[in-house]
Amino acid sequence: MNHNDHAPNITGMPLEAAVEHITGADPRFALTQACIHGTAYTVFANAPANLRALLQKSADTYGHRDLLVYQDQRWNHGQFCDEVLRLAHGMVEQLEVAPGDRVAIAMRNYPEMLVLIMAAASIGAVVVPMNAWWSADELVFALEDCGARVVFADGPRYEAVASHAKAHNIALVAVRDAKGSLSYEQIKDRPEPVTWPAVPLDPDDDFAVLYSSGSSGTPKGVVLTHRGAISAVHSLVMFKEMTPLINPTADAPPPPQTASLIVTPLFHVTALNSMFLQGLATGAKIVLIYKWDPDLAVGVINSEQITRFVGVPTQSVELMDAARRQDQDLPSLAGIVAGGAKRPAAQVSLLAQAFPRAMIGSGWGMTETNGLGIVASGPDYVERPETAGRLTPPLQQALIVDEQGREVPTGQIGELIIKSPANMRCYLNQPEATRSTLRDGWLYTGDLARMDDEGFFYIVDRKKTIIIRGGENISCLEVEGALHHHPGISEACVFPIPDERLGEVVGAAVYLLPDSDVTESKLQHGLASHLAAFKIPERIWFWPTPLPRGGTGKIDRHSIRSECTNIPTPIPAGDNHG
């Protein structure tokens, strides 16, 4: 049962009418045109010009509200802003960080990471959050690629990059459990009051370099601007403000302060933009946990009255299972959203039944779009569990095009392309990849999709992971969705395997729930009621542990395929999802 089932039957505005109303009536969301690097875009006229302005507005508007919680530590919006400013001045005075300098951050989900990101942004530096799951070689690659002159690192990452930093004269600053001659506390230790940095910031200045997951091949540094991040965050804020117009309820009480639990890494765009920066903009409370633990998450959700949970699909299911084990129904949760990977359709109704007060949702976005993209939620999502949703208004345009870049008819499959001021500026040091991906203001996502006549998008697959079996195209996601209908399967990954006669056939790797007696033949037989015969996997590998994942927490299709079939992992055009 969805939480809207017992709401009074009040007719809401259609999405398009709600967009027209709020952009015309609310000055915060008024629109105008801007030319960005030679291309015209629709932009917000009155949004904060940069992230420093966003922080300042947060402190002025929500100063005494809780902002950040980590274990027994708490910061309100004003206290957080004060720490950011102290650190910003210390970075300039002690580390001589200048506008445009790259400041790398290598750590797990600690509060210092968020302070560092905003401090660097406030002085015009470019922050580079590095994947904390990377090996030492991968960390060093990113340091060399981005040209960082300062690195803030926790203990394991400090040790991993220490010799490289010393050899290349990179200032290395110890955070939390790291031991070194220069520490985070020393940099921010300023007893006197601090003021806002006077460095001018242009909306189109670079804000961050976020690396794509690098599930195969070399990671790409995605260069994001202040305007891009603000455009994404302000669009999400507007969408939240529109919700009562689209789904009104009679005599609804004022909603509580949004409290978001961050369970995905802050070095990726979902946690950073869609959770943290949106929280700054809306006066939310952000609660961090060091690493994902569903049993711990249940306790934190109850103790902090968490209203919003965003994670990869597996985390939603594990949270549901942990709540059942502990006999907790998590009544504060108002939203459970999946990001980073497509949620299997079979999970949507299960979650809606398990959490009847919560709006179940899913989002599609990319690092290259600052996380902005397509959203499905509530009754629309429960009724269409296969959909990615509708385009988040009001700045984005989307088309589905063929190989020649021509728009395809409604319902047909093509590549999804997006035009938006939230899109990346470029790939760092990769002009050819940039030209291939950004064309005349349009970002070619590499995702195959279709759109129905109501404007709902359906992501069919990655362009490079379609299985072509004897000329027939097979969606890996479709087969994975069918596998998830089997009650004994916890995780599934589908990929092509070579075949002398047909070119490619379907292969799959699965991880089973405890005590499951599933066999290959049983699975293949069970799939016959869900899939055409040519789509059923011809080989199924049973994995003894949870399936390997890449840097974003998504199942690592390429490495699984390589291990199962002993085929060298291919180097694709890029894994663009954030």
Side-chain angles (χ1 to χ4, degrees):
M1 179 179 67
N2 186 272
H3 80 295
N4 281 329
D5 286 352
H6 297 305
N9 186 17
I10 302 174
T11 302
M13 293 183 183
L15 176 65
E16 294 77 7
V19 171
E20 183 177 358
H21 173 78
I22 201 165
T23 56
D26 192 328
R28 292 178 298 167
F29 306 115
L31 302 177
T32 188
Q33 295 290 306
C35 184
I36 306 171
H37 304 301
T39 301
Y41 294 89
T42 299
V43 300
F44 289 113
N46 301 317
N50 51 62
L51 291 176
R52 185 173 67 202
L54 175 68
L55 177 65
Q56 188 168 12
K57 184 176 180 181
S58 160
D60 291 343
T61 307
Y62 307 112
H64 294 293
R65 277 198 198 180
D66 278 348
L67 168 62
L68 185 58
V69 178
Y70 178 73
Q71 297 178 355
D72 60 351
Q73 296 179 280
R74 288 180 181 269
W75 293 257
N76 63 33
H77 283 253
Q79 291 166 334
F80 179 82
C81 182
D82 180 71
E83 186 159 333
V84 167
L85 293 181
R86 292 177 187 278
L87 187 67
H89 282 276
M91 290 167 71
V92 171
E93 294 167 8
Q94 298 182 53
L95 300 175
E96 299 182 344
V97 175
D101 285 347
R102 275 73 180 264
V103 176
I105 306 173
M107 65 183 69
R108 295 294 292 268
N109 275 12
Y110 286 128
E112 289 86 348
M113 187 168 183
L114 296 175
V115 179
L116 281 161
I117 287 168
M118 296 309 295
S122 294
I123 58 176
V126 181
V127 65
V128 186
M130 300 171 71
N131 193 316
W133 299 330
W134 276 343
S135 67
D137 287 346
E138 289 169 314
L139 290 167
V140 167
F141 163 81
L143 287 177
E144 293 177 338
D145 186 57
C146 75
R149 58 180 306 273
V150 178
V151 184
F152 289 81
D154 64 8
R157 269 53 64 175
Y158 190 102
E159 294 179 6
V161 302
S163 60
H164 177 82
K166 183 177 181 180
H168 293 82
N169 198 30
I170 299 173
L172 183 55
V173 183
V175 184
R176 287 275 168 168
D177 56 341
K179 305 298 181 184
S181 58
L182 189 59
S183 73
Y184 173 93
E185 295 298 328
Q186 290 172 301
I187 301 299
K188 77 174 183 70
D189 185 18
R190 292 177 57 89
E192 70 275 13
V194 290
T195 57
W196 289 96
V199 177
L201 293 177
D202 186 89
D204 297 312
D205 284 346
D206 293 345
F207 145 60
V209 177
L210 298 185
Y211 280 88
S212 63
S213 64
S215 57
S216 62
T218 301
K220 291 190 183 79
V222 179
V223 180
L224 306 176
T225 67
H226 285 260
R227 191 199 298 269
I230 293 291
S231 295
V233 169
H234 217 57
S235 294
L236 296 174
V237 173
M238 189 186 110
F239 194 79
K240 180 180 178 182
E241 293 282 329
M242 286 169 48
T243 300
L245 301 176
I246 299 170
N247 295 306
T249 55
D251 303 320
Q257 179 188 13
T258 298
S260 297
L261 179 63
I262 291 185
V263 298
T264 57
L266 289 166
F267 47 78
H268 289 307
V269 73
T270 297
L272 178 55
N273 286 11
S274 303
M275 302 288 280
F276 170 64
L277 292 180
Q278 186 183 174
L280 273 182
T282 58
K285 176 173 69 173
I286 303 297
V287 181
L288 301 180
I289 56 177
Y290 177 74
K291 65 178 181 179
W292 172 241
D293 179 334
D295 292 301
L296 172 64
V298 168
V300 173
I301 288 169
N302 283 330
S303 64
E304 294 293 341
Q305 291 295 286
I306 298 296
T307 63
R308 184 168 181 251
F309 178 91
V310 180
V312 297
T314 300
Q315 290 172 317
S316 299
V317 173
E318 290 177 348
L319 178 68
M320 178 177 67
D321 292 341
R324 284 174 174 165
R325 286 197 305 273
Q326 299 182 39
D327 195 24
Q328 299 289 329
D329 62 3
L330 309 183
S332 65
L333 279 181
I336 300 175
V337 180
K342 187 179 186 297
R343 175 184 276 136
Q347 292 181 3
V348 179
S349 60
L350 293 176
L351 289 167
Q353 292 166 12
F355 302 106
R357 300 178 186 88
M359 187 84 77
I360 308 303
S362 181
W364 173 95
M366 302 169 66
T367 305
E368 287 86 339
T369 67
N370 266 287
L372 189 62
I374 297 168
V375 175
S377 64
D380 283 340
Y381 186 38
V382 174
E383 292 166 11
R384 305 171 181 83
E386 297 284 355
T387 189
R390 301 178 76 178
L391 196 66
T392 305
L395 306 183
Q396 299 184 104
Q397 296 173 258
L399 295 174
I400 297 175
V401 300
D402 61 17
E403 291 289 343
Q404 288 72 44
R406 299 172 301 202
E407 186 174 5
V408 303
T410 299
Q412 290 193 15
I413 293 172
E415 183 175 2
L416 176 64
I417 65 174
I418 301 282
K419 183 179 180 182
S420 161
N423 286 351
M424 69 172 185
R425 181 174 69 79
C426 67
Y427 288 119
L428 184 65
N429 304 324
Q430 298 198 37
E432 290 186 11
T434 300
R435 283 192 293 270
S436 174
T437 303
L438 286 175
R439 309 176 210 167
D440 299 322
W442 291 89
L443 188 143
Y444 284 67
T445 68
D447 277 335
L448 295 178
R450 63 179 176 87
M451 185 182 73
D452 67 19
D453 55 10
E454 294 181 278
F456 287 91
F457 288 86
Y458 296 79
I459 305 299
V460 176
D461 216 321
R462 283 292 302 161
K463 196 173 182 181
K464 299 298 183 182
T465 57
I466 285 287
I467 299 169
I468 304 176
R469 182 189 184 276
E472 292 285 348
N473 288 355
I474 302 170
S475 163
C476 293
L477 295 183
E478 180 186 11
V479 181
E480 286 169 5
L483 284 164
H484 275 284
H485 280 285
H486 195 289
I489 288 182
S490 176
E491 294 180 335
C493 176
V494 172
F495 45 85
I497 55 178
D499 182 86
E500 289 185 2
R501 186 170 69 89
L502 298 170
E504 293 177 338
V505 293
V506 182
V510 297
Y511 171 57
L512 302 179
L513 293 169
D515 302 320
S516 174
D517 62 352
V518 175
T519 65
E520 183 177 42
S521 60
K522 284 182 179 179
L523 267 183
Q524 290 167 329
H525 180 74
L527 288 172
S529 61
H530 298 287
L531 297 172
F534 70 87
K535 297 181 180 180
I536 295 174
E538 298 197 15
R539 284 287 312 277
I540 300 175
W541 287 263
F542 291 88
W543 219 265
T545 59
L547 296 178
R549 296 179 180 275
T552 60
K554 292 181 291 186
I555 289 174
D556 190 341
R557 190 188 312 274
H558 297 295
S559 70
I560 292 170
R561 174 178 180 262
S562 177
E563 187 164 342
C564 287
T565 63
N566 293 318
I567 299 171
T569 300
I571 300 177
D575 180 0
N576 293 331
H577 282 272

